[in-house]
């Protein structure tokens, strides 16, 4: 009898072990991701500080900053949808700070029908967040340079196109405000965190595997009809 059920037992234990270990790993990843998001939220809730002279991605990303300067009027338009303000173009501006530094300023959403509206090029005070986005993936099209339509933010490529330092500030508010635009402040709501769903899936599969293994053992040990 033991010989008959040995294989189903080994199959059940091995399968459940693998599936439970995958679920446990996702739980660990969930804790790791939640710690990262909590750290980002803490930075986003902190009072803004003056823009560092040489901000670095490793130490300064998601830092809230204040700065003064003037948009030069040169812009890149990134086609986006599903934002809090709807569908339109993220406006990435060439911005000269009061210290003479040129940086990228993500000023917010421009409605589709306002693409040709003139930008505000007056001196302004800016409150925003340092960010080094790279929204591209393998399916992202190349920008349509002739029509100034981009499909992802990329600090390095955009800074080269606008001849700025590779630094981006995402606007929370400006004084005065550009009437064309609705700010899209940085938030953690868009950060993907589906480890809990994956963990539930793996643990559910482990339960199903255990039930199927128990049924197989039952069928194996059940006396055959004469």
């Amino acid at each position: 009898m033991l010989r008959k059920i040995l294989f189903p037992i080994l199959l059940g234990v091995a399968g459940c072990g693998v599936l439970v270990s995958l679920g446990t790993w996702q739980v660990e990843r969930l804790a790791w991701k939640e710690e990262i998001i909590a750290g980002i939220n803490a930075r986003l809730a902190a009072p803004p500080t003056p823009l560092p002279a040489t901000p670095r991605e490793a130490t300064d990303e998601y830092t809230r900053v204040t700065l003064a300067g003037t948009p030069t009027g040169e812009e890149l338009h990134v086609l986006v949808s599903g934002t809090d303000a709807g569908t339109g173009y993220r406006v990435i501006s060439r911005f000269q700070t009061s210290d003479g530094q040129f940086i990228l300023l993500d000023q917010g959403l421009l409605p589709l029908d306002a693409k040709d509206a003139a930008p505000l090029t007056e001196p302004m005070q800016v409150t925003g967040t340092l960010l080094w986005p790279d929204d591209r993936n393998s399916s992202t099209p190349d920008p349509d340079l002739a029509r100034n339509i981009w499909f992802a933010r990329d600090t390095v490529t955009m800074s080269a196109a606008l001849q700025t330092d590779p630094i981006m500030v995402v606007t929370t508010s400006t004084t005065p405000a550009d009437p064309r635009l609705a700010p899209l402040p940085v938030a953690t709501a868009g950060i993907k965190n589906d480890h809990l769903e994956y963990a539930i899936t793996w643990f559910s599969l482990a339960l199903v595997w255990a039930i199927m293994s128990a049924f197989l053992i039952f069928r194996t040990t059940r006396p055959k009809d004469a």
Side-chain angles (χ1 to χ4, degrees), residues 86-162:
T87 299
Y89 300 101
R90 269 190 181 270
V91 172
I92 311 299
S93 296
R94 186 173 190 254
F95 188 85
Q96 184 176 17
T97 70
S98 56
D99 296 329
Q101 183 180 22
F102 288 95
I103 66 168
L104 300 170
L105 185 65
D106 182 336
Q107 290 189 265
L109 192 75
L110 176 70
L112 294 173
D113 58 3
K115 186 170 179 17
D116 296 327
L120 182 68
T121 55
E122 298 179 9
M124 60 178 59
Q125 295 285 332
V126 177
T127 300
T129 306
L130 279 165
L131 193 68
W132 280 262
D134 184 353
D135 303 331
R136 297 173 304 168
N137 56 43
S138 59
S139 62
T140 302
D142 292 331
D144 184 340
L145 299 179
R147 297 196 300 159
N148 187 22
I149 299 177
W150 295 59
F151 301 96
R153 291 176 300 174
D154 175 359
T155 305
V156 173
T157 304
M158 289 182 160
S159 64
L162 290 179

Side-chain angles (χ1 to χ4, degrees), residues 13-224:
V13 170
C16 286
V18 170
L19 293 169
V20 168
S21 66
L22 288 170
T24 302
W25 179 70
Q26 289 294 339
V27 170
E28 293 170 351
R29 295 283 292 177
L30 174 64
W32 166 77
K33 180 60 74 68
E34 287 179 340
E35 183 177 353
I36 290 176
I37 292 174
I40 295 172
N41 280 329
R43 287 196 168 198
L44 294 178
T49 58
L51 180 69
T54 55
R56 293 180 172 83
E57 180 178 1
T59 56
D60 297 312
E61 189 160 35
Y62 298 108
T63 298
R64 298 245 303 146
V65 295
T66 58
L67 62 153
T70 308
T72 66
E74 299 163 90
E75 299 178 342
L76 304 178
H77 294 169
V78 184
L79 184 63
V80 294
S81 61
T83 73
D84 291 341
T87 299
Y89 300 101
R90 269 190 181 270
V91 172
I92 311 299
S93 296
R94 186 173 190 254
F95 188 85
Q96 184 176 17
T97 70
S98 56
D99 296 329
Q101 183 180 22
F102 288 95
I103 66 168
L104 300 170
L105 185 65
D106 182 336
Q107 290 189 265
L109 192 75
L110 176 70
L112 294 173
D113 58 3
K115 186 170 179 17
D116 296 327
L120 182 68
T121 55
E122 298 179 9
M124 60 178 59
Q125 295 285 332
V126 177
T127 300
T129 306
L130 279 165
L131 193 68
W132 280 262
D134 184 353
D135 303 331
R136 297 173 304 168
N137 56 43
S138 59
S139 62
T140 302
D142 292 331
D144 184 340
L145 299 179
R147 297 196 300 159
N148 187 22
I149 299 177
W150 295 59
F151 301 96
R153 291 176 300 174
D154 175 359
T155 305
V156 173
T157 304
M158 289 182 160
S159 64
L162 290 179
Q163 297 183 332
T164 71
D165 291 337
I167 299 165
M168 182 180 292
V169 174
V170 180
T171 298
T172 301
S173 63
T174 66
T175 305
D178 189 323
R180 303 173 303 154
L181 306 173
L184 295 172
V186 175
T188 56
I191 297 178
K192 192 175 181 180
N193 184 16
D194 48 15
H195 297 294
L196 178 60
E197 288 81 0
Y198 285 138
I200 291 172
T201 298
W202 289 122
F203 288 136
S204 298
L205 288 173
L207 178 61
V208 172
W209 191 279
I211 292 171
M212 292 177 61
S213 299
F215 180 72
L216 179 60
I217 293 170
F218 170 75
R219 289 292 301 270
T220 302
T221 58
R222 183 182 180 185
K224 295 183 179 179

